[in-house]
Amino acid sequence: MKIIVTGGCGFIGSHFIDLIIDNYNVLNIDKMTYASSNYTNEKYKNYSNYKFINKDINDSSLSNFIDSGDIIVNFAAESHVDNSIKNPNVFIQTNVNGVQNLLNCSRNKVKLFIQISTDEVYGSLNVDSPSSKENDILCPSSPYSASKCAAEMLCIAEHKTFNTPIIITRSSNNYGPRQNKEKLIPLFIDNLMKNKSVPVYGNGNNIRNWIHVNDNCLAIKKIIENGNIGEIYNIGGDIEIKNIDLTRFLLDYFSKDDSYLNFVTDRLGHDFRYSLNSDKIKQLGWKCYIDFKNGIKDTIKWYENNKNWR
Ligand code: NAD
């Protein structure tokens, strides 16, 4: 069976390919934006069950590469909220138009189309709000999260109108090796390794739910094997932590004091808290395996051993 992984040269997609390569034929479709790396192509270039196409998910010729019975997992996206505030248009082009093109190319062919979405679609929670459930209303705050909401709506409409077998996943913030240094954890690790301060948005009290990338990939694999068509699955980590507490954990690891904290002007529209209720995916038999503190320490060690990572 063939799994088409779009965005397989990005952070999560590359780990997902690591997870499935021994059991499936893999076609990786990636436009190779600034966020991509050649890691996966180098690693699997001699595997007969691995193929790569350098194309945009907006390319209508992709239908030529999608065969009857294929599974598509769409990771391809512009993924950095700060970039979406500076330049929303590219987020609409990839995250919305690109998803519609993939749906057009997949119709009446695929066995399953998984759209990788995000906890950010729920918008901001208060400190005491219950964790978000799959049926809660969507209330995006950034052009990024709005574009991911739009993509979800297109997928749901596709399922209702054309009976295309769609499943949507909404995961919390991922961390782990090979993430682009624009994102909080690798940026802070990199700065501290270089004896530089770390830029903390606002007062640092914003709360995030973190999941190790390997646990997210296991959940997606579990959904391929046992998920129900037409469903949405939250995939949350076991920990919620204030940005400032996460930052202090990193400072402690590097034996740095508070003089390395650089509080900067808050992100526009910065959501206060995300929190996912993951009961539904747990009912499929999935759980998180990686303890947050151990996962972060391993991630730091990976960056220490790979100082030239982007
Ligand atoms: P990433 O930015 O690391 O990788 C994205 C990949 O998509 C890159 O390889 C890039 O080249 C490719 N890409 C971008 N535009 C493309 C296009 N038009 N056509 C083909 N390829 C294109 O992103 P990530 O962190 O790996 O996120 C993967 C998915 O997971 C995204 O859909 C994102 O919205 C979602 N998500 C990420 C997180 C997180 O914490 N990283 C959390 C929840 C959901």
Side-chain angles (χ1 to χ4, degrees), residues 22-59:
D22 288 338
N23 299 103
Y24 295 93
N25 292 318
V26 174
L27 173 61
N28 177 4
I29 300 173
D30 199 301
K31 184 186 170 186
M32 303 305 284
T33 71
Y34 80 95
S36 66
S37 94
N38 225 6
Y39 172 92
T40 301
N41 287 334
E42 278 300 312
K43 188 170 177 186
Y44 298 122
K45 64 184 175 197
N46 295 325
Y47 281 53
S48 59
N49 64 329
Y50 177 80
K51 292 200 169 40
F52 171 70
I53 308 175
N54 184 346
K55 278 193 187 295
D56 192 316
I57 56 168
N58 282 285
D59 190 329

Side-chain angles (χ1 to χ4, degrees), residues 10-12 30-31 33 56-57 75 79 94 117 144 148 174:
F11 168 48
I12 307 175
D30 199 301
K31 184 186 170 186
T33 71
D56 192 316
I57 56 168
F75 292 95
S79 68
T94 287
S117 193
Y144 164 69
K148 297 297 285 187
N174 284 227

Side-chain angles (χ1 to χ4, degrees), residues 116-154:
I116 304 298
S117 193
T118 164
D119 60 357
E120 301 198 23
V121 295
Y122 294 113
S124 190
L125 298 179
N126 294 322
V127 70
D128 51 0
S129 308
S131 299
S132 301
K133 289 188 173 175
E134 287 84 350
N135 286 335
D136 286 358
I137 59 159
L138 305 187
C139 197
S141 302
S142 69
Y144 164 69
S145 52
S147 72
K148 297 297 285 187
C149 283
E152 287 196 17
M153 296 303 118
L154 294 172

Side-chain angles (χ1 to χ4, degrees), residues 188-201:
F188 285 16
I189 293 172
D190 192 54
N191 279 12
L192 293 171
M193 285 193 306
K194 292 174 178 160
N195 269 321
K196 286 163 56 179
S197 65
V198 294
V200 179
Y201 276 134

